[in-house]
Amino acid sequence: MMVNSSGRASGQKAHLLLPTLKENDTHCIDFHYYFSSRDRSSPGALNVYVKVNGGPQGNPVWNVSGVVTEGWVKAELAISTFWPHFYQVGRVTWSDCVK
């Protein structure tokens, strides 16, 4: 997923929800991100949340913010799931972010 925030109002968000994880296992989630902004100062934030049993969003389990990258950066997360619960991973990008 790529989010181009050019021409968007400040504060807008994009959401990507991954399919529900039901297996009693550790899941590896890896992705690349690239932060940029017109003035190369404040590109926003990228947060990863895990919802358990459809509960509240809670605090991010991973995040990066305010850093302009020189290219694509790889991130890897290990999400452990425990039966009988089910888990959903979602990434939220804030305004002025690219991916």
Side-chain angles (χ1 to χ4, degrees):
M1 175 175 101
M2 181 166 175
V3 177
N4 182 346
S5 63
S6 299
R8 302 284 182 190
S10 180
Q12 288 186 316
K13 301 174 187 177
H15 300 265
L16 171 66
L17 294 175
L18 300 181
T20 301
L21 307 173
K22 295 181 181 179
E23 297 84 9
N24 189 22
D25 202 352
T26 298
H27 301 268
C28 182
I29 298 171
D30 60 335
F31 56 94
H32 291 80
Y33 64 92
Y34 175 77
F35 273 145
S36 179
S37 67
R38 287 186 195 110
D39 61 3
R40 302 210 32 97
S41 63
S42 180
L46 175 63
N47 299 296
V48 176
Y49 299 90
V50 176
K51 292 174 71 171
V52 180
N53 293 336
Q57 181 170 282
N59 294 321
V61 296
W62 180 91
N63 74 348
V64 62
S65 63
V67 179
V68 174
T69 62
E70 294 300 320
W72 291 96
V73 178
K74 184 174 184 175
E76 295 179 348
L77 303 173
I79 307 294
S80 295
T81 59
F82 303 99
W83 185 88
H85 305 294
F86 59 91
Y87 301 77
Q88 186 172 36
V89 177
R91 287 189 285 183
V92 179
T93 56
W94 301 92
S95 65
D96 300 324
C97 298
V98 177
K99 190 159 186 201

